[in-house]
């Protein structure tokens, strides 16, 4: 039987798979992307939007490194807004509503145009490994393809089941697509531990069946917003599609409580954990009985004249009740009394693999060349998937090309926080990124993602020199602006004061500072206003953070390694030994982030490694 040869094979063409495939090919590895249906690459089966607190930061970082989600989002957005605009820059984020068909089409076009990338429509049945080294894959039908590295990004499709009410309505990873069976068993045979998780999606209703007069308008932002470029307006407000806000009420809650036993979440039909940050509507009502209403956002899946123009997404109303009860619930909500259902809500239960088995490159520790990314390792959301897929694709290609691995640490990027959390914490539900998870979020802002990561993207071969030159020019303008404020002074409230000191005052903006100094506003490019303000206002905190980061860098120099035998450290608690053996941290700094490891454990570990290194292996 004929065999093909690729250096890297990507399995699955969701958001993680597309990022992995394009990154691998651009870095220089001969790459194949295998998926069952090329027409459905990078679909948005749940909420047709990208971004949000924490998530938007991930997208900005993906774009700065040379990934593709930021670009495709900018190209496909039908509404875009700044979230948390009244709060500090460290927690502000972008969110874009998408034309979901356009997003899919733009992604497919980019995949087809990527040099060194082959697209294959097939289903993978088995991962082939010899002596713990990946050697190939076998397709359903028997064809074998040789490869040195495999990146699996199968999303919710491994042994996926669609649940509505008290029954599994079909085997599938999405309502309109089949499950993948043998691949999951193949991964398990390689010694990779698995579990089951649950996710869900709300109903879709017809645009013309909604009474918008009973709802609040939820528009986008008329501002310079772009996931690719800071302070660049991609979509004027006049070209944006509106969203709407309504609320549940006592009647909604009564229908839910009267039928609670018919919800698969409460009947025992589904026992798997779902994302706590995105609970089903029945869980919200049951868990918060004193809350009189819950917000429901009505969001378009495309422009009115587009392919998906008729479909409206009901954000906040994830349901898996029987269809007739779903309709009763939704029709109690103001504006939805005459809602016409295009598709009912449903839940998905699927296999995932415990991320603690991966190293910082997302490679399975006991299988050289096998990488896992996306929902397959217990995350939720397109943004987390894209970030993980990008990193897995980068490292799979670097490995086969004999180049050093690429790792981002917690102080460098939200992507570093994401991977660190996944491999070092105990997870009982799908992981979602929040700004609160990043201890260095003052440094990891939306506005400076390119300043932090563009050089790394260029070195990898994912960013052109023109992009790096543009970012370097922006850095130069920012430094010049800060120096101008340091050296410009004025008498303010009876005291000599520099512009730098003025801007550090609470609620003082850069525009106000320039006016007080008598400097024309156009002297500083408006595109850098946000970053200049942030770097000056947060300067004291940033200096303290840098001291902490430097301490952790020194701790990162104390290597532990994969051969460490923690049972030989007699003063280490049993729980600490168990967690260290499970995660196998590479450095003392990594050990600090492991859930269950105390400061006392770290002190014992550091002392033992420094004094007794030879005897611990």
């Amino acid at each position: 039987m004929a065999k093909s040869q690729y250096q890297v094979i990507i399995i699955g063409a969701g958001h993680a798979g597309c990022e992995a495939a394009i990154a691998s090919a651009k870095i220089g590895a001969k790459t194949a992307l295998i998926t069952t249906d090329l027409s459905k690459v990078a679909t948005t089966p749940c909420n047709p939007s990208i971004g949000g607190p924490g998530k938007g930061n991930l997208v900005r970082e993906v774009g700065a490194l040379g990934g593709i989600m930021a670009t495709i989002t900018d190209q496909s957005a039908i509404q875009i807004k700044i979230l948390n605009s009244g709060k500090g820059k460290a927690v502000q984020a972008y969110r874009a509503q998408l034309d979901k068909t356009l997003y899919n089409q733009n992604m497919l076009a980019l995949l087809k145009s990527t040099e060194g990338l082959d697209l294959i429509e097939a289903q993978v049945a088995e991962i082939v490994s010899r002596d713990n080294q990946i050697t190939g894959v076998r397709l359903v039908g028997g064809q074998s393809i040789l490869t040195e590295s495999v990146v699996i990004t199968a999303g919710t499709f491994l042994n996926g089941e669609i649940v509505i009410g008290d029954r599994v309505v079909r085997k599938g990873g999405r309502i309109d697509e089949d499950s993948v069976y043998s691949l999951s068993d193949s991964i398990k045979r390689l010694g990779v531990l698995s579990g089951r998780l649950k996710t869900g999606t709300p109903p879709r209703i017809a645009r013309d069946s909604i009474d918008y007069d009973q709802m609040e308008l939820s528009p986008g932002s008329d501002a310079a917003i772009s996931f690719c470029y800071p302070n660049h307006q991609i979509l004027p407000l006049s070209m944006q599609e509106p969203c709407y806000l309504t609320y549940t009420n006592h009647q909604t809650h009564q229908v839910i409580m009267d039928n609670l036993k018919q919800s698969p979440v409460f009947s025992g039909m589904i026992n798997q954990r779902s994302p706590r940050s995105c609970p089903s509507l029945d869980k919200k009502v049951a868990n918060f009985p004193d809350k009189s209403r819950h917000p429901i956002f009505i969001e378009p899946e495309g422009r009115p004249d587009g392919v998906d123009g008729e479909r409206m997404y009901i954000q906040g109303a994830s349901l898996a009740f029987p269809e007739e009860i779903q309709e009763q619930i939704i029709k109690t909500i103001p504006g939805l009394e005459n809602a016409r259902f295009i598709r009912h809500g449903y839940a998905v239960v699927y296999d995932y693999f415990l991320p603690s088995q991966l190293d910082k490159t997302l490679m399975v520790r006991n299988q050289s060349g096998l990488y896992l990314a996306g929902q397959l390792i217990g995350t939720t959301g397109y943004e987390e998937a894209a970030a993980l897929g990008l990193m897995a694709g980068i490292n799979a290609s670097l490995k086969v090309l004999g180049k050093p691995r690429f790792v981002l640490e917690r102080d460098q990027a939200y992507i570093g926080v994401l991977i660190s959390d996944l491999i070092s914490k105990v997870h009982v539900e799908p992981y979602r990124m929040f700004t609160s998870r990043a201890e260095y979020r003052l440094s990891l802002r939306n506005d400076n993602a390119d300043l932090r990561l563009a050089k790394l993207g260029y070195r990898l071969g994912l960013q052109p020199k023109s992009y790096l030159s543009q970012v370097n020019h922006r850095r130069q303008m920012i430094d010049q602006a800060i120096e101008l404020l340091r050296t410009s002074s004025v008498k303010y409230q009876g005291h000599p004061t520099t512009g730098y000191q003025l801007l550090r005052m609470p609620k003082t903006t850069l525009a106000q500072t320039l006016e007080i100094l008598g400097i024309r506003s156009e002297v500083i490019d408006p595109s850098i206003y946000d970053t200049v303000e942030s770097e000056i206002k947060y300067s004291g905190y940033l200096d303290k953070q840098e001291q902490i980061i430097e301490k952790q860098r020194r701790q990162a120099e104390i290597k532990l390694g994969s051969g460490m035998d923690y049972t030989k450290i007699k003063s280490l608690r049993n729980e600490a030994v168990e967690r260290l053996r499970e995660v196998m941290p590479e450095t003392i700094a990594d050990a600090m982030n492991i859930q269950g490891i105390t400061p006392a454990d770290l002190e014992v570990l550091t002392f033992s490694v420094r004094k007794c290194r030879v005897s611990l292996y």
Side-chain angles (χ1 to χ4, degrees):
M1 188 170 295
K3 294 183 178 180
S4 302
Q5 177 70 53
Y6 290 96
Q7 290 174 295
V8 177
I9 287 177
I10 316 296
I11 301 173
H15 300 279
C18 292
E19 293 284 354
I22 292 177
S24 174
K26 287 176 70 174
I27 287 173
K30 186 180 180 184
T31 305
L33 174 62
I34 303 177
T35 184
T36 55
D37 188 348
L38 281 170
S39 69
K40 294 182 177 179
V41 302
T43 58
T44 51
C46 197
N47 194 351
S49 69
I50 296 291
K55 290 172 171 284
N57 300 68
L58 287 174
V59 181
R60 285 280 292 121
E61 291 177 353
V62 166
L65 283 170
I68 52 179
M69 176 172 272
T71 300
I72 303 298
T73 298
D74 278 3
Q75 293 173 351
S76 312
I78 58 176
Q79 187 196 85
I80 191 162
K81 64 172 64 177
I82 302 175
L83 304 179
N84 298 329
S85 57
K87 299 181 180 179
K89 301 293 183 183
V91 295
Q92 290 182 9
Y94 302 156
R95 182 178 182 272
Q97 198 71 25
L98 304 174
D99 182 316
K100 62 186 302 180
T101 297
L102 184 59
Y103 191 96
N104 160 258
Q105 292 172 345
N106 288 336
M107 185 68 77
L108 182 57
L110 187 56
L111 288 168
K112 288 181 175 180
S113 67
T114 299
E115 187 177 347
L117 174 62
D118 288 348
L119 308 179
I120 301 173
E121 279 192 328
Q123 185 178 131
V124 176
E126 183 181 7
I127 307 299
V128 183
S129 175
R130 180 177 300 167
D131 298 326
N132 297 325
Q133 168 63 57
I134 297 302
T135 60
V137 302
R138 184 176 59 81
L139 305 182
V140 172
Q143 181 185 0
S144 294
I145 305 177
L146 297 178
T147 188
E148 300 170 53
S149 279
V150 171
V151 181
I152 306 178
T153 61
T156 60
F157 282 85
L158 298 188
N159 292 329
E161 296 179 325
I162 307 295
V163 180
I164 299 178
D166 62 353
R167 69 194 193 282
V168 175
V169 298
R170 69 188 301 270
K171 301 288 186 180
R174 288 194 282 265
I175 195 67
D176 55 349
E177 294 185 71
D178 292 332
S179 291
V180 175
Y181 302 103
S182 57
L183 178 58
S184 185
D185 294 336
S186 170
I187 301 170
K188 294 171 189 175
R189 286 197 298 271
L190 296 177
V192 189
L193 301 177
S194 68
R196 298 278 280 175
L197 289 174
K198 175 258 180 185
T199 189
T201 189
R204 306 301 199 272
I205 55 178
R207 181 187 288 262
D208 61 5
S209 68
I210 300 171
D211 181 1
Y212 300 102
D213 290 338
Q214 296 189 60
M215 301 178 177
E216 300 174 26
L217 181 66
S218 180
S221 301
D222 192 13
I225 311 171
S226 163
F227 281 102
C228 288
Y229 300 103
N231 294 296
H232 175 72
Q233 187 167 34
I234 60 166
L235 204 61
L237 189 60
S238 60
M239 296 176 60
Q240 298 186 37
E241 292 296 321
C243 297
Y244 296 87
L245 172 63
T246 184
Y247 295 90
T248 62
N249 51 45
H250 173 73
Q251 186 182 358
T252 313
H253 299 183
Q254 192 63 54
V255 174
I256 288 173
M257 295 305 296
D258 288 347
N259 295 279
L260 200 60
K261 291 183 179 179
Q262 297 194 60
S263 162
V265 177
F266 288 92
S267 69
M269 180 72 183
I270 294 177
N271 296 310
Q272 291 78 16
R273 292 293 191 105
S274 59
R276 181 171 43 179
S277 57
C278 188
S280 57
L281 183 56
D282 45 318
K283 286 195 74 172
K284 285 190 282 190
V285 171
N287 292 346
F288 300 97
D290 296 332
K291 197 163 185 177
S292 61
R293 65 179 191 173
H294 295 278
I296 302 292
F297 286 90
I298 309 300
E299 302 174 336
E301 296 200 344
R303 296 194 183 277
D305 57 351
V307 174
D308 295 297
E310 183 187 10
R311 298 161 63 96
M312 301 295 280
Y313 176 89
I314 314 180
Q315 184 192 345
S318 178
L319 295 169
F321 281 96
E323 288 93 335
E324 64 275 11
I325 296 177
Q326 290 190 38
E327 296 194 19
Q328 291 177 35
I329 292 168
I330 294 301
K331 290 183 178 182
T332 65
I333 299 173
L336 302 179
E337 294 89 349
N338 299 308
R340 188 170 72 255
F341 280 62
I342 296 174
R343 194 189 73 200
H344 292 84
Y346 62 90
V348 187
V349 180
Y350 58 95
D351 285 354
Y352 83 107
F353 293 89
L354 279 59
S356 59
Q357 301 165 100
L358 310 178
D359 67 18
K360 294 163 79 171
T361 70
L362 301 179
M363 187 176 74
V364 177
R365 286 197 299 269
N366 69 349
Q367 287 293 332
S368 180
L370 179 59
Y371 298 80
L372 308 180
Q375 283 186 278
L376 186 73
I377 56 172
T379 62
T380 178
Y382 315 135
E383 303 85 355
E384 290 89 346
L388 294 170
L390 176 64
M391 296 298 287
I394 288 171
N395 280 296
S397 58
L398 292 176
K399 181 176 174 60
V400 300
L401 295 172
K403 297 180 179 181
R405 68 181 193 164
F406 178 69
V407 169
L408 290 171
E409 303 295 349
R410 298 181 69 93
D411 61 295
Q412 291 179 285
Y414 271 85
I415 296 174
V417 175
L418 170 63
I419 293 175
S420 172
D421 280 356
L422 282 173
I423 67 176
S424 65
K425 310 297 184 191
V426 176
H427 304 283
V428 296
E429 63 188 37
Y431 179 99
R432 176 175 178 169
M433 177 54 70
F434 293 105
T435 52
S436 59
R437 296 190 189 272
E439 61 269 43
Y440 304 119
R441 56 186 173 274
L442 290 179
S443 304
L444 310 180
R445 304 184 308 275
N446 245 345
D447 62 275
N448 69 1
D450 55 338
L451 302 175
R452 290 183 278 118
L453 301 174
K455 184 179 292 185
L456 298 176
Y458 172 72
R459 289 174 180 170
L460 287 165
L462 298 178
Q463 287 287 20
K465 190 171 184 178
S466 58
Y467 179 78
L468 180 61
S469 297
Q470 179 181 343
V471 173
N472 287 340
H473 177 63
R474 199 166 89 86
R475 178 73 264 176
Q476 185 179 32
M477 288 196 301
I478 292 165
D479 291 342
Q480 289 173 348
I482 292 174
E483 183 61 23
L484 173 65
L485 294 170
R486 285 186 185 279
T487 56
S488 299
S489 61
V490 68
K491 198 166 187 178
Y492 183 73
Q493 295 181 347
H495 301 282
T497 308
T498 65
Y500 193 95
Q501 292 168 325
L502 281 171
L503 191 50
R504 291 194 66 180
M505 294 178 181
K507 298 183 180 180
T508 304
T509 66
L510 178 55
Q512 291 169 337
T513 299
L514 293 175
E515 184 178 354
I516 293 170
L517 290 169
I519 298 174
R520 300 192 320 276
S521 59
E522 61 268 24
V523 167
I524 296 178
D525 192 307
S527 69
I528 63 171
Y529 268 39
D530 282 352
T531 305
V532 171
E533 279 193 17
S534 296
E535 292 199 5
I536 291 177
K537 284 189 176 297
Y538 294 144
S539 58
Y541 300 103
L542 292 173
D543 289 343
K544 291 178 183 177
Q545 274 195 3
E546 186 56 40
Q547 294 173 16
I548 297 171
I549 290 169
E550 183 56 38
K551 180 180 178 181
Q552 289 199 334
R553 286 175 184 150
R554 292 195 297 270
Q555 291 168 326
E557 294 174 359
I558 307 174
K559 305 296 183 183
L560 299 176
S562 58
M564 178 77 76
D565 185 355
Y566 294 101
T567 62
K568 292 185 176 181
I569 304 177
K570 302 303 182 184
S571 301
L572 208 53
R573 295 176 308 119
N574 290 337
E575 180 189 352
V577 170
E578 183 180 342
R579 291 293 290 132
L580 288 164
R581 292 179 70 185
E582 180 183 354
V583 177
M584 293 305 295
E586 298 178 14
T587 68
I588 290 291
D590 294 333
M592 288 179 61
N593 295 311
I594 298 177
Q595 189 172 330
I597 300 298
T598 67
D601 295 328
L602 290 168
E603 187 175 341
V604 169
L605 182 59
T606 302
F607 176 82
S608 300
V609 171
R610 281 176 167 164
K611 301 296 182 182
C612 315
R613 172 171 292 276
V614 175
S615 63
L616 297 178
Y617 289 85

